[in-house]
Amino acid sequence: MRSQSEPAAAEPGAIARPPLVREFLLVAGLFLVYKLGRQLATGHTAEALHNARRVWDLERTLHLPSEVDVQSALLHGDALVHLANTYYATVHFPATLAFLVWLYLRRPAHYVWARRVLAAVTAAALVLPFTFPLAPPRMLAATGLVDTARVYGPSVYGPPSSDHLSNQFAAMPSLHFGWALMVAIGLIVATRPPVSHHHPERGATRRSIRPSWRWLWLLHPAITLLVIVGTANHYWLDAIVATAMLGTALALIRPQTSSGGTPTSLRSPHRTATTAGRGTRHLGSEEPALVGAGR
């Protein structure tokens, strides 16, 4: 019998952690393509403003909530609107990067899946500004909305004519919201409790209990949605289109085994070669190792 201190052998279906240098280059390339791709779609001011009026009118036709109501709530206090602007300016990239780093270190199989989904959504989102440039609601006088970042700060954008670091006419889809939603979904999936196992000798079911706090990750996309709308950087439809794109990517891209076989269920994450054997108990063949042991 193998001693408790002996390292467990890697399971045949375990997912090995991808090479660090390669993943660093891939993720850095994803962010670079995101920035450069948006710049390539600039120079459509008249068309972007025309499309903005169309989107605004369509939202009213669909009886969607008014972005004005969300902004009015933010404008009750300077501190609140300043906090919203800060959230918009500083959370987007760091939160997504931290999410990928954590998955890479703790859930390699989910990391590969999440990176592929984010890459697919980002690539699809970069195509839309070429076919449908869209000015944000803060640029459309008819909305009556305030450019909160310019008035209260901090702002990540300069005047559109001189801002060479971003494309302000690429409001649809909102990658702020799409990435935030993927971060929440990815963390909820990756921290799912292990599957329960029945013990015939004890006549009871052993269930690993994990607090329901993992669902609180949904607060990130919820806050992001209120921020992007309240600061007049996006329309409701921008978030709806981003959600549709993410949903399509999630339906097409699933976590896979290391052998590239049948995609695994999002609700049954595999243990990885780097985490196999940590925190497991050896109870013989009657008790399979718990999925995600050692979390």
Side-chain angles (χ1 to χ4, degrees), residues 164-199:
H164 302 297
L165 297 178
S166 59
N167 177 16
Q168 299 186 48
F169 300 132
M172 182 181 291
S174 170
L175 285 181
H176 262 78
F177 181 74
W179 286 11
L181 186 57
M182 181 57 201
V183 168
I185 292 174
L187 289 172
I188 289 171
V189 170
T191 57
R192 181 178 180 268
V195 178
S196 302
H197 295 289
H198 183 69
H199 299 271

Side-chain angles (χ1 to χ4, degrees), residues 45-110:
T45 304
E47 185 179 1
L49 290 172
H50 174 69
N51 288 335
R53 288 187 286 271
R54 293 169 59 190
V55 167
W56 183 259
D57 292 341
L58 177 60
E59 287 189 342
R60 308 292 75 79
T61 301
L62 296 175
H63 301 291
L64 293 179
S66 176
E67 289 86 346
V68 176
D69 294 336
V70 179
Q71 186 173 91
S72 297
L74 287 182
L75 293 178
H76 278 306
D78 291 357
L80 185 59
V81 69
H82 183 80
L83 181 62
N85 291 331
T86 302
Y87 195 94
Y88 180 87
T90 63
V91 174
H92 179 46
F93 282 108
T96 307
L97 183 59
F99 162 67
L100 291 173
V101 169
W102 186 85
L103 286 183
Y104 179 83
L105 295 175
R106 301 298 300 274
R107 305 288 190 274
H110 289 89

Side-chain angles (χ1 to χ4, degrees), residues 125-292:
L126 293 177
V127 174
L128 200 54
F130 288 97
T131 58
F132 192 76
L134 180 65
R138 58 186 166 81
M139 293 185 183
L140 194 61
T143 65
L145 291 165
V146 176
D147 186 346
T148 60
R150 182 179 60 83
V151 176
Y152 299 94
S155 177
V156 295
Y157 302 120
S161 58
S162 60
D163 185 358
H164 302 297
L165 297 178
S166 59
N167 177 16
Q168 299 186 48
F169 300 132
M172 182 181 291
S174 170
L175 285 181
H176 262 78
F177 181 74
W179 286 11
L181 186 57
M182 181 57 201
V183 168
I185 292 174
L187 289 172
I188 289 171
V189 170
T191 57
R192 181 178 180 268
V195 178
S196 302
H197 295 289
H198 183 69
H199 299 271
E201 71 279 6
R202 291 199 288 264
T205 298
R206 178 170 177 251
R207 184 180 299 273
S208 176
I209 300 177
R210 187 176 297 274
S212 58
W213 58 257
R214 66 196 187 98
W215 294 99
L216 293 177
W217 290 115
L218 290 172
L219 287 175
H220 176 43
I223 294 173
T224 299
L225 179 60
L226 294 178
V227 165
I228 63 176
V229 171
T231 57
N233 281 293
H234 287 282
Y235 308 88
W236 295 113
L237 283 177
D238 298 340
I240 292 173
V241 171
T243 302
M245 286 184 171
L246 178 60
T248 301
L250 289 171
L252 297 175
I253 303 173
R254 308 292 291 269
Q256 292 186 332
T257 62
S258 59
S259 61
T262 304
T264 62
S265 169
L266 290 182
R267 296 180 59 80
S268 300
H270 282 287
R271 296 169 67 210
T272 69
T274 57
T275 60
R278 291 189 305 187
T280 57
R281 295 169 52 192
H282 302 285
L283 299 177
S285 59
E286 292 181 351
E287 182 181 0
L290 292 177
V291 174

